[in-house]
Amino acid sequence: MSIVIDEARREQLIRRLQGFYRSEFDEDLSRFRAEQILDFHLEALGPQVYNQAVQDARKFMQDRLDDRDAEVHVPEARP
């Protein structure tokens, strides 16, 4: 599974990586190196983070649906 991001988001992430390296390591990161680091992280971490987010969203929605079942359930009246 490959994570694909749009060009505007990619540019923003590259700039953030360059800023991070500058502030944390006092190192100027070339655009090429920033792209390589971004691509590595997208490949290595992207699918796991994506899958976890999908699982979390699924659980959240299932919990909300379970709450709705409890709210609308009316016990049958017994004579």
Side-chain angles (χ1 to χ4, degrees):
M1 176 181 180
S2 176
I3 303 295
V4 178
I5 56 175
D6 64 60
E7 194 59 34
R9 182 168 287 136
R10 183 175 179 80
E11 288 297 321
Q12 179 186 27
L13 290 171
I14 288 169
R15 284 192 307 272
R16 288 189 67 191
L17 267 173
Q18 289 173 316
F20 175 75
Y21 269 73
R22 194 173 305 110
S23 68
E24 296 297 318
F25 305 118
D26 196 26
E27 179 182 342
D28 285 329
L29 197 62
S30 72
R31 180 176 177 78
F32 177 77
R33 286 187 68 199
E35 288 176 343
Q36 295 298 309
I37 291 169
L38 177 59
D39 290 342
F40 169 78
H41 283 94
L42 286 174
E43 183 180 325
L45 301 174
Q48 289 82 3
V49 171
Y50 177 85
N51 288 339
Q52 184 64 52
V54 168
Q55 290 174 1
D56 292 348
R58 184 177 181 275
K59 181 178 181 337
F60 175 83
M61 292 304 297
Q62 188 61 53
D63 290 347
R64 298 292 96 47
L65 289 171
D66 291 345
D67 288 347
R68 290 287 177 196
D69 285 344
E71 289 177 12
V72 296
H73 177 71
V74 178
E76 293 182 26
R78 298 195 184 238

